[in-house]
Amino acid sequence: MLYTAHPDRYADMPYRRTGRSGLKLPALSLGLWHNFGPDRPAETQRAILRRAFDLGVTHFDLANNYGPPPGAAESALGEALRADFAPYRDELVISTKAGYLMWPGPYGEWGSRKYLLSSLDRSLTRMGLDHVDIFYSHRFDPDTPLEETMGALHSAVQQGKALYVGVSNYSAEQTREAARILGELGTPLLINQPRYSMLDRRPEDEGLLDALDELGVGSIAYSPLEQGLLTARYLDGIPEDSRAASDSPFLNTDALTEELVGRLRALNEIAASRGQTLAQMALSWVLRGGRVTSALVGASSPRQLEDSVAATRGLGFDAEELARIDAVVKG
């Protein structure tokens, strides 16, 4: 059945300007880090993407290594773009990244010009696109001059293969230097993608958000639900089908201590008093005050995505609520 986007898709989603640029991102963006590979039904993947767009989620975020296996998420998106979204390409923001291991040998990861531009070409082929909207350096490379890494991002824009560029997992100081180099080249740094949640506040504590404010650079937070910890999944133990039970490299049973579960339950009580689920409050918290442009969410079903999008209806916090959350998290 031919997909036709919902006519009211822009009615409810808030859109925020990305730094000083002209690009606006939805408050919630869809990350294809998990759930988009051959181990998931293709129809489910397409249903999630369709529902996202119908709800005003115009930004799909990828990286070359997303899957599994690496590259699978980009291939899945490429199929969905051809089948469902070809008429809507200009309404979408599609981003990808390069930095982690993609192929064997010394040119298959990190931040060299050879790797970044080769990776972008492969990503575009997998997605069936002639350009992405945002191309990121996925991690800082301590062994490659930052001038080379940023020069490669600048070249991607000059070649028409990316409209904007960003960095991910860069510290405040690394971001300042990246922005300086890109500014001199004439390609502004658009955005930084850090890990940020109620439980992981390094972007606040280490000055990254302050640096982005000063630079006029946007931000998009990944893992705002802390790999599922900030949901109802682990309030009563570890479900057999959960990420923690699978000993995922990103979340395992050792991390789920009794003390942490107690804190999650206390946060859940605060969320309930706000009329939200724990996951919705966690997303609202990341987006509070407007310092973060967008929060990245994953989804294993359209319903899960709908629950996340509902968080955009409760972005306000009063001082007492914030103090209660801080008391629980910081002890």
Side-chain angles (χ1 to χ4, degrees):
M1 182 176 175
L2 186 64
Y3 167 70
T4 301
H6 197 286
D8 296 329
R9 57 191 175 278
Y10 295 114
D12 298 319
M13 175 63 67
Y15 297 87
R16 296 177 169 187
R17 191 170 300 280
T18 311
R20 284 196 294 259
S21 78
L23 183 69
K24 292 183 178 181
L25 292 180
L28 285 185
S29 298
L30 180 63
L32 278 67
W33 184 10
H34 302 294
N35 304 315
F36 286 84
D39 58 335
R40 305 283 176 145
E43 193 51 43
T44 300
Q45 297 173 38
R46 285 178 59 188
I48 292 168
L49 292 166
R50 292 190 205 110
R51 189 65 183 130
F53 190 54
D54 284 346
L55 291 169
V57 178
T58 54
H59 179 208
F60 300 156
D61 179 78
L62 300 102
N64 56 359
N65 63 328
Y66 288 177
E74 290 178 329
S75 296
L77 179 65
E79 292 172 10
L81 290 174
R82 286 186 289 274
D84 297 325
F85 294 101
Y88 306 106
R89 172 63 182 99
D90 290 336
E91 297 182 47
L92 292 170
V93 173
I94 296 171
S95 61
T96 196
K97 314 175 198 73
Y100 288 93
L101 184 64
M102 271 305 286
W103 55 83
Y107 323 120
E109 61 180 325
W110 293 106
S112 72
R113 180 180 182 84
K114 177 172 175 58
Y115 165 69
L116 291 173
L117 295 179
S118 295
S119 176
L120 179 55
D121 283 343
R122 292 191 182 199
S123 292
L124 293 173
T125 297
R126 281 190 289 268
M127 291 186 283
L129 296 174
D130 60 4
H131 74 277
V132 290
D133 297 285
I134 309 171
F135 182 47
Y136 288 87
S137 168
H138 205 166
R139 59 172 169 171
F140 178 79
D141 183 350
D143 296 323
T144 298
L146 195 55
E147 289 81 2
E148 179 176 339
T149 302
M150 294 303 106
L153 297 186
H154 171 66
S155 291
V157 173
Q158 294 296 104
Q159 294 168 6
K161 296 176 181 178
L163 301 184
Y164 301 91
V165 297
V167 295
S168 181
N169 302 305
Y170 275 53
S171 70
E173 191 52 43
Q174 291 161 354
T175 301
R176 288 182 194 277
E177 185 64 5
R180 182 192 66 78
I181 295 166
L182 285 167
E184 291 178 355
L185 292 170
T187 297
L189 177 63
L190 175 78
I191 196 167
N192 186 310
Q193 186 175 132
R195 181 170 183 147
Y196 183 43
S197 73
M198 285 195 293
L199 299 180
D200 187 346
R201 304 192 179 192
R202 284 174 293 178
E204 289 178 23
D205 299 339
E206 298 174 2
L208 177 61
L209 294 184
D210 291 337
L212 298 179
D213 287 343
E214 293 167 19
L215 295 166
V217 171
S219 59
I220 181 167
Y222 76 87
S223 293
L225 302 181
E226 207 55 34
Q227 294 297 305
L229 283 179
L230 289 169
T231 69
R233 288 212 80 169
Y234 301 105
L235 298 178
D236 298 305
I238 302 175
E240 289 184 7
D241 62 344
S242 67
R243 189 168 297 157
S246 70
D247 277 335
S248 159
F250 306 107
L251 178 66
N252 56 55
T253 53
D254 294 339
L256 213 62
T257 63
E258 286 187 24
E259 178 192 11
L260 176 57
V261 171
R263 292 186 179 191
L264 296 177
R265 288 174 178 160
L267 290 171
N268 189 56
E269 291 178 6
I270 300 171
S273 72
R274 287 170 45 83
Q276 291 184 308
T277 66
L278 175 55
Q280 288 166 346
M281 184 177 77
L283 294 171
S284 297
W285 184 90
V286 164
L287 292 166
R288 77 200 185 286
R291 294 189 83 187
V292 170
T293 312
S294 183
L296 272 171
V297 296
S300 58
S301 68
R303 176 60 188 272
Q304 188 179 47
L305 183 69
E306 292 165 3
D307 289 343
S308 294
V309 169
T312 63
R313 297 194 287 271
L315 299 183
F317 287 82
D318 61 37
E320 180 185 356
E321 288 171 329
L322 292 173
R324 289 174 66 195
I325 290 169
D326 286 350
V328 170
V329 172
K330 298 179 179 180

